[in-house]
Amino acid sequence: MTAPTPRRTLETTVATPAQIPFDAILAGQTPMVFKGLARDWPLVQAGLKSAQAARDHIRAHDQGGRVVGYLGDPAIKGRFFYDAGRTGLNFKAERAPLEDFLRRLEAVEGRDGAPSIYVGSADLDAYFPSLKAENDLGLGAEVFGPQPPLAGIWIGNRTVAAAHYDMSNNIAVCAVGRRRFTLFPPDQVANLYPGPLDPTPGGQVVSMVDFDEPDFDAHPGFREALSVAQVAELEAGDVLVYPALWWHQVEALAPFNVLVNYWWNVAPDFADTPANTLLHGLLSLRDRPDFEKRGWKALFDYYLFGPADRAAAHLPEAARGPLAPLDASRARRLRAVLLDRVNR
């Protein structure tokens, strides 16, 4: 039986980044590609001339900071993943000046059987502020809320980032080369067969399925995942927007590739990461009897996953305690209570 073919992610055009329908994308859980939206970026224009011109453009803005790069032998064929025992990784990480990695990329560009090289998510504000100033979407609090986005740059040759999810919404700009994103909605988590919580290839849990050679005997649910998957094919200047927690495999397809991305959540800065809650749930809930877990699910639905004001609506304001809307002060008090209870 042949595997289902993912459908193409919706593609459209808008005149300016401000016209991206962010609310519809996030609320409707509908990833979208905006063709050519960043084509006027100087970095995109340099890359359309040549990979060397793109590297020279980046060099002109390099402040000399040491970035983290990832190096894999030719045998991994660009797929940054686990070793055979699934307890270690099939690549190594190094911290060095960007120039070191650019020279390595130049030395192997276009070569068959080249090692896999990429610089992952280097902070544009910290390492390349002038590059960001020249190559930016110009969006602000009207999209990102009070907290500015984390803007990163990814530079490398032909590489594959195994399918994973991020806790933030994402704007991905294909600045140089070509990228393919294979996207899955969050409810496909079981059909993607997540790997270990630690270690991980890039900080997030990844799917254990090899998308190029899926083993449907070991991973039968992957067929269902493929039936609802989307593929976004990005050329230089294209912009992909997708919601938080969507799984995505990312393939860099040209001999030299650059991606700029923006991660953001519309959440106050005092909010804790839900990943910590998941870890505490493993400690407190996972191994309880099923009937207890069903009861706790009902409580979580009431207190957490329903309307935010429901649990306190019938209580006098003075009696609401942590059920009241959180601010920085209330968050500190609640965090102190949790720390005291966890460290009992």
Side-chain angles (χ1 to χ4, degrees):
M1 181 166 53
T2 59
T5 301
R7 65 185 177 91
R8 189 125 174 162
T9 299
L10 179 63
E11 297 179 352
T12 188
T13 58
V14 292
T16 69
Q19 295 176 341
I20 295 174
F22 288 102
D23 289 344
I25 291 170
L26 301 184
Q29 295 289 287
T30 309
M32 294 182 70
V33 174
F34 299 90
K35 300 295 293 182
L37 184 59
R39 192 174 177 85
D40 291 338
W41 280 14
L43 175 57
V44 174
Q45 288 298 308
L48 290 173
K49 293 176 183 176
S50 68
Q52 187 62 50
R55 286 190 290 269
D56 289 343
H57 182 82
I58 294 170
R59 282 186 169 107
H61 298 278
D62 182 14
Q63 295 186 325
R66 295 168 68 86
V67 297
V68 177
Y70 303 92
L71 309 169
D73 291 335
I76 75 171
K77 298 180 180 178
R79 185 174 182 239
F80 289 82
F81 196 62
Y82 290 97
D83 60 18
R86 303 303 191 251
T87 58
L89 304 174
N90 68 353
F91 60 94
K92 62 180 181 178
E94 290 185 11
R95 183 176 290 275
L98 176 67
E99 182 62 27
D100 287 10
F101 296 110
L102 292 179
R103 288 177 178 172
R104 294 187 202 193
L105 286 164
E106 287 172 344
V108 303
E109 185 173 324
R111 198 177 83 191
D112 290 338
S116 301
I117 305 169
Y118 86 96
V119 173
S121 193
D123 189 327
L124 280 173
D125 289 303
Y127 293 100
F128 308 100
S130 62
L131 180 72
K132 183 185 177 188
E134 286 190 8
N135 302 274
D136 191 46
L137 294 176
L139 301 169
E142 74 283 355
V143 172
F144 302 127
Q147 300 304 314
L150 177 61
I153 189 167
W154 309 70
I155 304 168
N157 55 5
R158 290 187 175 94
T159 60
V160 180
H164 61 284
Y165 66 89
D166 298 312
M167 291 180 286
S168 300
N169 307 306
N170 198 7
I171 304 172
V173 182
C174 181
V176 181
R178 295 181 294 116
R179 298 263 173 173
R180 176 184 298 123
F181 281 70
T182 306
L183 300 149
F184 304 84
D187 62 7
Q188 291 302 305
V189 53
N191 292 324
L192 291 168
Y193 300 89
L197 296 178
D198 185 61
T200 63
Q204 292 286 17
V205 172
V206 303
S207 169
M208 300 304 286
V209 181
D210 183 343
F211 285 20
D212 286 336
E213 298 181 4
D215 181 346
F216 290 110
D217 291 329
H219 308 125
F222 187 58
R223 289 188 186 277
E224 181 177 341
L226 286 174
S227 72
V228 296
Q230 301 182 26
V231 171
E233 302 276 0
L234 304 183
E235 303 289 337
D238 292 347
V239 176
L240 168 66
V241 182
Y242 59 92
L245 302 175
W246 272 66
W247 289 76
H248 50 286
Q249 174 166 287
V250 188
E251 300 167 75
L253 302 174
F256 181 71
N257 305 272
V258 180
L259 181 87
V260 171
N261 84 300
Y262 305 80
W263 279 314
W264 88 101
N265 294 97
V266 183
D269 58 358
F270 57 75
D272 200 1
T273 169
N276 290 343
T277 307
L278 177 61
L279 290 175
H280 192 253
L282 295 175
L283 179 67
S284 62
L285 287 171
R286 182 189 60 183
D287 296 326
R288 292 182 180 273
D290 285 346
F291 73 89
E292 282 191 29
K293 287 195 282 189
R294 288 194 295 271
W296 280 109
K297 181 178 182 302
L299 288 171
F300 275 48
D301 286 343
Y302 177 72
Y303 284 106
L304 301 179
F305 299 119
D309 59 352
R310 177 173 61 181
H314 60 284
L315 298 174
E317 186 172 344
R320 291 177 179 178
L323 297 177
L326 288 178
D327 55 23
S329 177
R330 288 193 178 104
R332 282 194 300 270
R333 291 198 295 271
L334 183 55
R335 190 171 286 110
V337 170
L338 284 170
L339 287 171
D340 182 65
R341 293 186 180 185
V342 170
N343 292 326
R344 59 186 171 85

